[in-house]
Structure formats: structure tokens, C-alpha cells
Amino acid sequence: MDNTSKIANKFKRENPDLKMQVIKNKRNRGLSRSYCDAAFLGSGKYFRLVCGDNSETAESIRKIVKARHLADMVLPYHPKVPGKSLVRKIISKAYTKTINKISGNNIQYYNGCALTTRYDVMRWGSYSFGFGFQADLITRLIAEGRTYVEVPVEVYHHENDAAASAFRFKNILSVLHTLIEIGFRYVRAKSDQ
């Protein structure tokens, strides 16, 4: 358990003029489910996950938002990631190459928290239950004809317990599920042509 809800409630109290809600699930529903649920609870045209680990700079977030009019999706990628171990870099590159191979795409990075429309998240939200939900959403939206622009951004990698959690059995199954979904979607699309 972390202090996320306490921090969010404190921020809300200190900023009463901001229109915001703090939603706390009775049980952990996973990042993907919470991401999609938030799209239904939100308002406005655009939607993006901003992680609470402060890995992105404010300038990177501004750069992503500024590019929103260039395409249907803004896909951030990280040319350099200070603090990321060599093993994590190799796994990340292998993951990206695998998704590109089974989806027919040529994206530089799938887990950079894309900026999309809220409608697309509500309509095409991922069924993944773990780390692969961004790749699932991005490949699905591209298959649906959405355009994208890739934007290089500066991030900082923080090694912590969450990094180790990526290699838990449940998360490995989740990624395999996502890869199978993406692969089947690509095969179905090719057979329909």
C-alpha cells in the first residue's frame, strides 16, 4: 500500500479551485482497468496517464501536449533513459521489436503513455490486465486507422520494487496475453484484406 490517495486528497484540499475527484477503489483493479475507468469519469477531449514516479519532466509533458494537433495520437519515446539498467534496456528493446513484428508497425516505444482522445480510450480500451495495456491500445488504434506522431522526450528511470514486479509470474502472463491479442488482431486484419 502506498500513500497515493493521501497525497491526492491533500493536493485536492490545497487546490480547491481545480475540478478534480479522487477515486479510491475498494480493491486493486490494476492499472489498465483504472486507466479505462478514469476515461469514463473524466471530461474533455484528450486523455493521458501521467505516472506518479516523476519519471517525466514538466517540459516532456508540455512537449507531448503541444503535439496533440499533429495526429490522433502522440506517442512519446525515450532516446536516452538515465538510470535504466542494461538488462532493462535490452528487455525493453526486445519487447518493442516483438510488438512491431506481430503488429506490422514500426513504433519506437509502446510504454510511453500515449496521448489519445478520451473517446478512443472509452471505445477501444485495453482488455489487458497488466503492463501491456499501452501497447494493446496503441496497436488497436493504429489498426482502426488512427494516425500518430512520435515525440522524443526526456525521462528518468527509477529502480525500485516496481521494477522487480515487472518480472513476477502474473505480469509475465499479462504480457504474454497482450502479445497474443496483438498477434491475433494482426492476423485477423491480414486475412480480411
Side-chain angles (χ1 to χ4, degrees):
M1 196 65 136
D2 62 23
N3 291 322
T4 302
S5 62
K6 287 180 185 175
I7 294 167
N9 281 315
K10 181 178 184 257
F11 182 83
K12 182 178 178 180
R13 281 191 309 275
E14 292 172 355
N15 297 279
D17 294 338
L18 289 178
K19 182 181 173 186
M20 72 176 276
Q21 326 173 42
V22 177
I23 308 292
K24 185 174 181 183
N25 296 325
K26 290 181 175 35
R27 63 181 176 83
N28 185 343
R29 298 173 79 177
L31 181 57
S32 175
R33 177 69 183 268
S34 295
Y35 174 80
C36 291
D37 288 351
F40 283 93
L41 295 169
S43 61
K45 181 175 180 178
Y46 297 100
F47 193 77
R48 181 171 189 266
L49 169 67
V50 177
C51 296
D53 63 358
N54 296 323
S55 62
E56 296 177 305
T57 65
E59 181 55 37
S60 292
I61 295 170
R62 279 192 285 277
K63 192 174 182 181
I64 293 164
V65 172
K66 187 176 180 181
R68 72 190 180 279
H69 299 298
L70 300 176
D72 298 321
M73 290 186 289
V74 179
L75 307 179
Y77 69 94
H78 315 133
K80 296 178 187 172
V81 186
K84 195 170 195 178
S85 71
L86 179 60
V87 171
R88 298 278 295 186
K89 288 177 186 176
I90 291 169
I91 291 169
S92 182
K93 285 185 188 282
Y95 178 72
T96 298
K97 284 184 179 188
T98 301
I99 293 172
N100 280 335
K101 186 75 169 167
I102 64 174
S103 69
N105 295 324
N106 189 24
I107 304 296
Q108 295 189 56
Y109 190 62
Y110 285 94
N111 285 344
C113 299
L115 174 73
T116 64
T117 64
R118 197 170 58 85
Y119 170 82
D120 278 341
V121 174
M122 292 186 296
R123 176 65 179 93
W124 301 106
S126 175
Y127 293 112
S128 292
F129 55 92
F131 290 102
F133 82 97
Q134 283 286 307
D136 186 34
L137 179 64
I138 290 167
T139 57
R140 184 181 303 270
L141 291 177
I142 291 171
E144 291 299 322
R146 300 301 187 269
T147 60
Y148 64 90
V149 61
E150 294 180 281
V151 175
V153 297
E154 187 176 309
V155 296
Y156 300 95
H157 184 76
H158 304 286
E159 287 291 339
N160 56 22
D161 291 340
S165 74
F167 299 106
R168 291 190 183 135
F169 184 69
K170 178 179 158 185
N171 294 330
I172 292 169
L173 284 179
S174 167
V175 169
L176 290 174
H177 172 263
T178 301
L179 294 175
I180 291 167
E181 282 286 321
I182 292 169
F184 277 137
R185 188 180 313 123
Y186 181 65
V187 169
R188 280 192 303 267
K190 281 293 190 188
S191 67
D192 288 345
Q193 292 179 349

